[in-house]
Amino acid sequence: MEARAQAIAEGHAGELVWLLEHPPLYTGGVSAKPGDLLDPDRFPVFATGRGGQFTYHGPGQRVAYVMLDLTERGRDVRAFVAALEVWVIGALGRFNVAGEVRPGRVGVWVERRTPGLPPREDKIAAIGVKLRKWVSFHGVSLNVEPDLSHFGGIVPCGVTEHGVTSLVDLGLPVTMDEADAALRASFEAVFGPAEDVSPPLCGEGRAA
């Protein structure tokens, strides 16, 4: 990913988005606090250069690594993060899920209402990016059908007063292919046309 971002910055490669699933693991961003890693022996833990704190990645979660050239897109970091939020919210909207953003809390949230109980907000998508030479890398993760108990080994993104949810947890039997189709349509609405490319070979530094 970093090699591809470097190649984009040098003009040797085009913009690229990877859609993938990780095995169960925790990643820590540049603001990660050691005390927020509650169960360090549960899954592998990786330090990353992205923004944000600890998060979980695993099967049933769509991770999108977004390598875009902001030199061609306005060089506005706040606007770029907002565009990522709009992208995810647009994808959720295709399943009639009202994704929302909250001041001071990065990511996309949904409001849960249960009769007789006060409303609660759960995170359904995380955002953590880094820019180098105005090219982005890392990106977003959308909870389609992960094992939500796996988030219990961390304080997700340093937020203790809210929970985590997924499309399936909301009662929507969404497949990964359906989530990808929604992400693709919303991406094109926000960032412009996209085309499919062959994935890079394992260990290859620069994808075609």
Side-chain angles (χ1 to χ4, degrees), residues 1-204:
M1 179 174 53
E2 293 196 21
R4 179 67 182 220
Q6 180 66 27
I8 294 169
E10 294 172 352
H12 301 316
E15 296 179 314
L16 188 65
V17 176
W18 288 342
L19 298 179
L20 51 87
E21 291 179 87
H22 283 297
L25 55 87
Y26 297 128
T27 67
V30 295
S31 301
K33 301 174 183 177
D36 287 345
L37 182 59
L38 306 178
D39 191 353
D41 298 322
R42 187 171 188 179
F43 299 125
V45 181
F46 297 91
T48 73
R50 62 163 172 79
Q53 301 184 45
F54 280 108
T55 193
Y56 165 78
H57 295 315
Q61 182 190 72
R62 176 54 81 216
V63 177
Y65 287 133
V66 183
M67 291 158 276
L68 298 180
D69 186 356
L70 269 64
T71 299
E72 304 296 326
R73 297 175 180 274
R75 291 195 177 193
D76 187 326
V77 177
R78 289 181 181 270
F80 175 61
V81 173
L84 294 176
E85 294 169 338
V86 171
W87 171 30
V88 174
I89 289 170
L92 292 171
R94 285 164 168 78
F95 303 109
N96 296 315
V97 173
E100 301 176 335
V101 296
R102 291 290 182 266
R105 283 192 262 139
V106 178
V108 178
W109 303 77
V110 294
E111 187 175 274
R112 312 285 298 272
R113 291 186 175 272
T114 302
L117 296 175
R120 79 179 206 224
E121 293 177 348
D122 289 343
K123 178 178 265 191
I124 196 168
I127 297 175
V129 295
K130 184 175 179 63
L131 299 178
R132 184 175 296 152
K133 298 180 180 178
W134 291 104
V135 175
S136 67
F137 51 106
H138 295 283
V140 308
S141 58
L142 172 64
N143 295 332
V144 180
E145 192 181 6
D147 185 337
L148 295 179
S149 71
H150 289 177
F151 286 89
I154 58 172
V155 177
C157 301
V159 178
T160 58
E161 62 270 29
H162 301 283
V164 181
T165 191
S166 69
L167 287 168
V168 170
D169 183 53
L170 294 173
L172 299 168
V174 176
T175 67
M176 196 64 77
D177 285 345
E178 290 169 336
D180 287 347
L183 285 167
R184 170 70 175 263
S186 183
F187 182 91
E188 292 189 334
V190 175
F191 293 105
E195 63 182 50
D196 293 333
V197 297
S198 299
L201 299 175
C202 183
E204 185 178 357

